[in-house]
Amino acid sequence: MSEESGPAEQPKVPEASGIDLARFVLRAAKEQARARGQAAQDRKQARRGGLRSGARADGRDPLPLGSAINGLIREKAWETPTAVAGVLGRWPEIVGEELAKHTEPGPHDAEEGILVVRCDSTSWATQLRLLAPQLVARINADLGHGTVRLIKVYGPSGPPQRYGKLRAPGSTGPGDTYG
């Protein structure tokens, strides 16, 4: 059997009375007054020929350069890359002067948390590999935990690969005879 039912009963909301009602009415009156004041100000600016800057600061005033850049960094979500770039700019402070002379920080992969560092000799690359855990801890102390998870250390790149025993002076390899 199906029963006919009327509209679903909604829980009773107590009606505002006394002080609550007065607060509600006051809030509504303030919002209406604010809207009327804004409309009047818009009409006044339209009569004067559009937007003009006044004596007081408002949203149309130019921003200081630092504030504008910080706003752009927040808007584009570049906080981590700029923080890493700041730390890499202070590389000699972080790793020490002697190690900084022989190493060069490279790109930082934010997704993987990998920082690439290139060294000018294999001995300095070995030294940096031994110091990598301490460096990760120092960098993360500045940037926040987990920003850099791993430091990949590369030694110096070797000379270009030469094919064959006999080479002509000034030759660039097998490609120069066909080009």
Side-chain angles (χ1 to χ4, degrees), residues 98-142:
E98 189 67 26
L99 192 57
K101 289 178 189 176
H102 302 282
T103 61
E104 181 180 342
H108 172 256
D109 183 4
E111 291 176 11
E112 299 291 324
I114 297 174
L115 175 65
V116 175
V117 179
R118 182 158 307 276
C119 299
D120 61 1
S121 72
T122 55
S123 61
W124 284 107
T126 303
Q127 181 69 24
L128 190 65
R129 283 186 191 101
L130 293 173
L131 293 173
Q134 289 93 2
L135 293 177
V136 168
R138 265 192 225 165
I139 292 170
N140 284 334
D142 282 348

Short mmCIF file of all heavy atoms in Angstrom, two decimals, residues 98-142:
data_model
loop_
_atom_site.label_atom_id
_atom_site.label_comp_id
_atom_site.label_asym_id
_atom_site.label_seq_id
_atom_site.Cartn_x
_atom_site.Cartn_y
_atom_site.Cartn_z
N GLU A 98 85.54 26.57 0.09
CA GLU A 98 86.42 25.64 -0.64
C GLU A 98 85.63 24.72 -1.56
O GLU A 98 85.98 24.53 -2.72
CB GLU A 98 87.25 24.83 0.37
CG GLU A 98 88.34 23.99 -0.27
CD GLU A 98 89.44 24.85 -0.89
OE1 GLU A 98 89.65 25.99 -0.44
OE2 GLU A 98 90.08 24.35 -1.82
N LEU A 99 84.55 24.15 -1.05
CA LEU A 99 83.73 23.25 -1.85
C LEU A 99 82.98 24.01 -2.95
O LEU A 99 82.81 23.50 -4.06
CB LEU A 99 82.73 22.50 -0.96
CG LEU A 99 82.00 21.33 -1.57
CD1 LEU A 99 82.97 20.29 -2.10
CD2 LEU A 99 81.07 20.70 -0.54
N ALA A 100 82.60 25.24 -2.67
CA ALA A 100 81.88 26.04 -3.67
C ALA A 100 82.77 26.40 -4.86
O ALA A 100 82.27 26.57 -5.97
CB ALA A 100 81.34 27.32 -3.03
N LYS A 101 84.09 26.49 -4.64
CA LYS A 101 85.01 26.79 -5.75
C LYS A 101 85.03 25.66 -6.77
O LYS A 101 85.31 25.89 -7.94
CB LYS A 101 86.43 27.01 -5.22
CG LYS A 101 86.63 28.27 -4.46
CD LYS A 101 88.06 28.34 -3.95
CE LYS A 101 88.26 29.49 -3.00
NZ LYS A 101 89.61 29.49 -2.43
N HIS A 102 84.75 24.44 -6.33
CA HIS A 102 84.88 23.27 -7.19
C HIS A 102 83.55 22.64 -7.58
O HIS A 102 83.54 21.60 -8.24
CB HIS A 102 85.76 22.22 -6.51
CG HIS A 102 87.13 22.75 -6.18
ND1 HIS A 102 88.11 22.88 -7.12
CD2 HIS A 102 87.65 23.20 -5.01
CE1 HIS A 102 89.19 23.38 -6.55
NE2 HIS A 102 88.94 23.59 -5.27
N THR A 103 82.45 23.22 -7.14
CA THR A 103 81.13 22.68 -7.46
C THR A 103 80.24 23.77 -8.02
O THR A 103 80.44 24.96 -7.74
CB THR A 103 80.45 22.08 -6.21
OG1 THR A 103 80.29 23.11 -5.23
CG2 THR A 103 81.25 20.94 -5.64
N GLU A 104 79.26 23.34 -8.79
CA GLU A 104 78.29 24.28 -9.36
C GLU A 104 76.91 23.63 -9.29
O GLU A 104 76.68 22.59 -9.90
CB GLU A 104 78.65 24.58 -10.81
CG GLU A 104 77.72 25.57 -11.46
CD GLU A 104 78.11 25.83 -12.91
OE1 GLU A 104 79.25 25.54 -13.29
OE2 GLU A 104 77.23 26.30 -13.64
N PRO A 105 75.98 24.26 -8.52
CA PRO A 105 74.64 23.68 -8.45
C PRO A 105 73.92 23.86 -9.78
O PRO A 105 74.08 24.87 -10.46
CB PRO A 105 73.96 24.47 -7.34
CG PRO A 105 74.70 25.76 -7.29
CD PRO A 105 76.10 25.46 -7.72
N GLY A 106 73.17 22.87 -10.13
CA GLY A 106 72.45 22.90 -11.40
C GLY A 106 70.95 22.98 -11.17
O GLY A 106 70.50 23.53 -10.17
N PRO A 107 70.19 22.40 -12.07
CA PRO A 107 68.74 22.51 -11.97
C PRO A 107 68.18 21.69 -10.80
O PRO A 107 68.79 20.73 -10.36
CB PRO A 107 68.25 21.95 -13.30
CG PRO A 107 69.35 21.08 -13.78
CD PRO A 107 70.61 21.69 -13.26
N HIS A 108 67.02 22.11 -10.33
CA HIS A 108 66.31 21.42 -9.25
C HIS A 108 64.99 20.92 -9.81
O HIS A 108 64.21 21.69 -10.36
CB HIS A 108 66.06 22.39 -8.09
CG HIS A 108 65.19 21.81 -7.03
ND1 HIS A 108 63.87 22.16 -6.89
CD2 HIS A 108 65.44 20.90 -6.07
CE1 HIS A 108 63.35 21.48 -5.88
NE2 HIS A 108 64.28 20.73 -5.37
N ASP A 109 64.76 19.63 -9.69
CA ASP A 109 63.50 19.03 -10.12
C ASP A 109 62.56 19.05 -8.92
O ASP A 109 62.73 18.27 -7.98
CB ASP A 109 63.73 17.60 -10.61
CG ASP A 109 62.46 16.95 -11.13
OD1 ASP A 109 61.42 17.62 -11.19
OD2 ASP A 109 62.52 15.76 -11.47
N ALA A 110 61.57 19.95 -8.94
CA ALA A 110 60.69 20.13 -7.78
C ALA A 110 59.80 18.92 -7.55
O ALA A 110 59.49 18.59 -6.41
CB ALA A 110 59.84 21.38 -7.97
N GLU A 111 59.39 18.24 -8.61
CA GLU A 111 58.49 17.09 -8.45
C GLU A 111 59.21 15.93 -7.76
O GLU A 111 58.65 15.27 -6.89
CB GLU A 111 57.96 16.63 -9.80
CG GLU A 111 57.00 17.62 -10.44
CD GLU A 111 56.57 17.18 -11.82
OE1 GLU A 111 56.85 16.02 -12.20
OE2 GLU A 111 55.95 18.00 -12.51
N GLU A 112 60.43 15.66 -8.18
CA GLU A 112 61.20 14.54 -7.62
C GLU A 112 62.02 14.95 -6.41
O GLU A 112 62.47 14.10 -5.65
CB GLU A 112 62.13 13.95 -8.69
CG GLU A 112 61.41 13.40 -9.89
CD GLU A 112 60.62 12.15 -9.55
OE1 GLU A 112 61.09 11.35 -8.72
OE2 GLU A 112 59.53 11.99 -10.11
N GLY A 113 62.27 16.25 -6.25
CA GLY A 113 63.10 16.72 -5.14
C GLY A 113 64.57 16.44 -5.35
O GLY A 113 65.30 16.22 -4.39
N ILE A 114 65.01 16.48 -6.61
CA ILE A 114 66.40 16.16 -6.94
C ILE A 114 67.14 17.44 -7.32
O ILE A 114 66.68 18.21 -8.15
CB ILE A 114 66.48 15.14 -8.09
CG1 ILE A 114 65.83 13.83 -7.67
CG2 ILE A 114 67.92 14.92 -8.52
CD1 ILE A 114 65.72 12.82 -8.78
N LEU A 115 68.29 17.67 -6.69
CA LEU A 115 69.17 18.78 -7.01
C LEU A 115 70.40 18.21 -7.69
O LEU A 115 71.03 17.28 -7.18
CB LEU A 115 69.57 19.54 -5.75
CG LEU A 115 70.57 20.66 -5.92
CD1 LEU A 115 69.99 21.77 -6.78
CD2 LEU A 115 70.99 21.20 -4.57
N VAL A 116 70.75 18.75 -8.86
CA VAL A 116 71.91 18.29 -9.62
C VAL A 116 73.08 19.23 -9.32
O VAL A 116 72.93 20.45 -9.36
CB VAL A 116 71.61 18.28 -11.14
CG1 VAL A 116 72.85 17.92 -11.93
CG2 VAL A 116 70.48 17.32 -11.44
N VAL A 117 74.25 18.64 -9.02
CA VAL A 117 75.46 19.42 -8.76
C VAL A 117 76.57 18.85 -9.62
O VAL A 117 76.79 17.64 -9.66
CB VAL A 117 75.85 19.37 -7.27
CG1 VAL A 117 77.12 20.17 -7.02
CG2 VAL A 117 74.74 19.89 -6.39
N ARG A 118 77.29 19.72 -10.34
CA ARG A 118 78.41 19.30 -11.18
C ARG A 118 79.71 19.74 -10.51
O ARG A 118 79.82 20.87 -10.05
CB ARG A 118 78.29 19.92 -12.57
CG ARG A 118 79.42 19.46 -13.47
CD ARG A 118 79.13 19.58 -14.93
NE ARG A 118 77.92 18.96 -15.41
CZ ARG A 118 77.80 17.68 -15.75
NH1 ARG A 118 78.81 16.86 -15.61
NH2 ARG A 118 76.67 17.21 -16.23
N CYS A 119 80.66 18.83 -10.47
CA CYS A 119 81.96 19.09 -9.85
C CYS A 119 83.04 19.17 -10.93
O CYS A 119 82.90 18.59 -12.01
CB CYS A 119 82.31 17.98 -8.87
SG CYS A 119 81.13 17.84 -7.53
N ASP A 120 84.14 19.88 -10.63
CA ASP A 120 85.19 20.03 -11.64
C ASP A 120 86.22 18.92 -11.60
O ASP A 120 87.10 18.86 -12.46
CB ASP A 120 85.86 21.41 -11.53
CG ASP A 120 86.54 21.65 -10.21
OD1 ASP A 120 86.54 20.75 -9.35
OD2 ASP A 120 87.09 22.75 -10.03
N SER A 121 86.17 18.01 -10.64
CA SER A 121 87.06 16.85 -10.64
C SER A 121 86.36 15.69 -9.94
O SER A 121 85.42 15.88 -9.17
CB SER A 121 88.38 17.18 -9.93
OG SER A 121 88.17 17.29 -8.54
N THR A 122 86.85 14.49 -10.20
CA THR A 122 86.23 13.31 -9.60
C THR A 122 86.46 13.26 -8.10
O THR A 122 85.62 12.76 -7.36
CB THR A 122 86.78 12.03 -10.26
OG1 THR A 122 88.19 12.02 -10.16
CG2 THR A 122 86.35 11.94 -11.70
N SER A 123 87.57 13.80 -7.63
CA SER A 123 87.82 13.79 -6.18
C SER A 123 86.83 14.71 -5.45
O SER A 123 86.34 14.36 -4.38
CB SER A 123 89.25 14.19 -5.88
OG SER A 123 89.52 15.49 -6.33
N TRP A 124 86.51 15.86 -6.04
CA TRP A 124 85.52 16.74 -5.42
C TRP A 124 84.12 16.14 -5.54
O TRP A 124 83.29 16.33 -4.65
CB TRP A 124 85.56 18.13 -6.04
CG TRP A 124 86.72 18.92 -5.54
CD1 TRP A 124 87.85 19.23 -6.23
CD2 TRP A 124 86.89 19.44 -4.22
NE1 TRP A 124 88.72 19.93 -5.44
CE2 TRP A 124 88.15 20.08 -4.19
CE3 TRP A 124 86.12 19.44 -3.07
CZ2 TRP A 124 88.63 20.71 -3.05
CZ3 TRP A 124 86.60 20.07 -1.94
CH2 TRP A 124 87.85 20.69 -1.93
N ALA A 125 83.85 15.41 -6.60
CA ALA A 125 82.56 14.73 -6.74
C ALA A 125 82.40 13.67 -5.65
O ALA A 125 81.34 13.55 -5.02
CB ALA A 125 82.43 14.10 -8.11
N THR A 126 83.48 12.94 -5.36
CA THR A 126 83.44 11.94 -4.28
C THR A 126 83.23 12.61 -2.93
O THR A 126 82.43 12.15 -2.12
CB THR A 126 84.75 11.13 -4.27
OG1 THR A 126 84.93 10.53 -5.55
CG2 THR A 126 84.72 10.07 -3.19
N GLN A 127 83.92 13.72 -2.71
CA GLN A 127 83.76 14.46 -1.46
C GLN A 127 82.32 14.95 -1.29
O GLN A 127 81.74 14.84 -0.21
CB GLN A 127 84.73 15.65 -1.44
CG GLN A 127 84.69 16.48 -0.18
CD GLN A 127 85.23 15.74 1.02
OE1 GLN A 127 86.02 14.81 0.90
NE2 GLN A 127 84.79 16.15 2.19
N LEU A 128 81.75 15.46 -2.37
CA LEU A 128 80.37 15.96 -2.30
C LEU A 128 79.38 14.82 -2.08
O LEU A 128 78.40 14.99 -1.36
CB LEU A 128 80.01 16.74 -3.57
CG LEU A 128 78.69 17.49 -3.51
CD1 LEU A 128 78.75 18.59 -2.46
CD2 LEU A 128 78.35 18.09 -4.85
N ARG A 129 79.62 13.66 -2.66
CA ARG A 129 78.74 12.51 -2.44
C ARG A 129 78.75 12.11 -0.96
O ARG A 129 77.73 11.70 -0.42
CB ARG A 129 79.16 11.34 -3.31
CG ARG A 129 78.75 11.49 -4.74
CD ARG A 129 79.04 10.23 -5.57
NE ARG A 129 78.87 10.52 -6.97
CZ ARG A 129 79.86 10.76 -7.84
NH1 ARG A 129 81.11 10.70 -7.43
NH2 ARG A 129 79.60 11.03 -9.10
N LEU A 130 79.92 12.21 -0.32
CA LEU A 130 80.01 11.88 1.10
C LEU A 130 79.27 12.91 1.97
O LEU A 130 78.73 12.57 3.01
CB LEU A 130 81.47 11.78 1.53
CG LEU A 130 82.27 10.63 0.92
CD1 LEU A 130 83.74 10.74 1.30
CD2 LEU A 130 81.71 9.30 1.39
N LEU A 131 79.27 14.16 1.53
CA LEU A 131 78.64 15.23 2.29
C LEU A 131 77.16 15.44 1.93
O LEU A 131 76.50 16.27 2.55
CB LEU A 131 79.38 16.55 2.07
CG LEU A 131 80.79 16.63 2.63
CD1 LEU A 131 81.46 17.93 2.19
CD2 LEU A 131 80.76 16.52 4.14
N ALA A 132 76.67 14.71 0.94
CA ALA A 132 75.31 14.94 0.44
C ALA A 132 74.23 14.87 1.51
O ALA A 132 73.35 15.75 1.54
CB ALA A 132 75.00 13.98 -0.71
N PRO A 133 74.22 13.90 2.42
CA PRO A 133 73.15 13.88 3.44
C PRO A 133 73.14 15.13 4.32
O PRO A 133 72.08 15.66 4.64
CB PRO A 133 73.45 12.63 4.26
CG PRO A 133 74.25 11.75 3.35
CD PRO A 133 75.03 12.68 2.49
N GLN A 134 74.33 15.63 4.70
CA GLN A 134 74.39 16.84 5.51
C GLN A 134 73.92 18.06 4.72
O GLN A 134 73.24 18.94 5.25
CB GLN A 134 75.80 17.10 6.04
CG GLN A 134 76.25 16.13 7.11
CD GLN A 134 77.01 14.95 6.52
OE1 GLN A 134 77.25 14.87 5.32
NE2 GLN A 134 77.37 14.01 7.38
N LEU A 135 74.27 18.10 3.42
CA LEU A 135 73.83 19.22 2.59
C LEU A 135 72.31 19.21 2.39
O LEU A 135 71.68 20.27 2.41
CB LEU A 135 74.54 19.19 1.24
CG LEU A 135 76.05 19.44 1.27
CD1 LEU A 135 76.63 19.32 -0.12
CD2 LEU A 135 76.34 20.80 1.87
N VAL A 136 71.75 18.03 2.20
CA VAL A 136 70.28 17.93 2.06
C VAL A 136 69.62 18.46 3.33
O VAL A 136 68.64 19.21 3.27
CB VAL A 136 69.86 16.47 1.77
CG1 VAL A 136 68.37 16.30 1.92
CG2 VAL A 136 70.29 16.08 0.38
N ALA A 137 70.16 18.11 4.49
CA ALA A 137 69.59 18.58 5.76
C ALA A 137 69.71 20.09 5.88
O ALA A 137 68.76 20.77 6.31
CB ALA A 137 70.28 17.89 6.93
N ARG A 138 70.86 20.66 5.49
CA ARG A 138 71.05 22.12 5.56
C ARG A 138 70.10 22.86 4.63
O ARG A 138 69.52 23.87 4.99
CB ARG A 138 72.48 22.48 5.20
CG ARG A 138 73.37 22.62 6.37
CD ARG A 138 74.67 23.26 5.94
NE ARG A 138 75.75 22.51 6.55
CZ ARG A 138 77.01 22.58 6.19
NH1 ARG A 138 77.35 23.34 5.19
NH2 ARG A 138 77.91 21.88 6.82
N ILE A 139 69.99 22.36 3.41
CA ILE A 139 69.11 23.02 2.42
C ILE A 139 67.66 22.93 2.87
O ILE A 139 66.91 23.91 2.80
CB ILE A 139 69.31 22.40 1.03
CG1 ILE A 139 70.71 22.74 0.49
CG2 ILE A 139 68.26 22.88 0.06
CD1 ILE A 139 71.10 21.99 -0.75
N ASN A 140 67.25 21.77 3.37
CA ASN A 140 65.86 21.62 3.81
C ASN A 140 65.58 22.44 5.07
O ASN A 140 64.43 22.78 5.33
CB ASN A 140 65.52 20.16 4.03
CG ASN A 140 65.30 19.43 2.72
OD1 ASN A 140 64.94 20.04 1.72
ND2 ASN A 140 65.52 18.14 2.72
N ALA A 141 66.60 22.73 5.86
CA ALA A 141 66.40 23.61 7.02
C ALA A 141 65.99 25.00 6.56
O ALA A 141 65.18 25.66 7.20
CB ALA A 141 67.67 23.68 7.86
N ASP A 142 66.53 25.46 5.42
CA ASP A 142 66.15 26.76 4.87
C ASP A 142 64.83 26.71 4.12
O ASP A 142 64.04 27.64 4.22
CB ASP A 142 67.23 27.26 3.89
CG ASP A 142 68.43 27.85 4.61
OD1 ASP A 142 68.33 28.07 5.82
OD2 ASP A 142 69.45 28.08 3.94
#
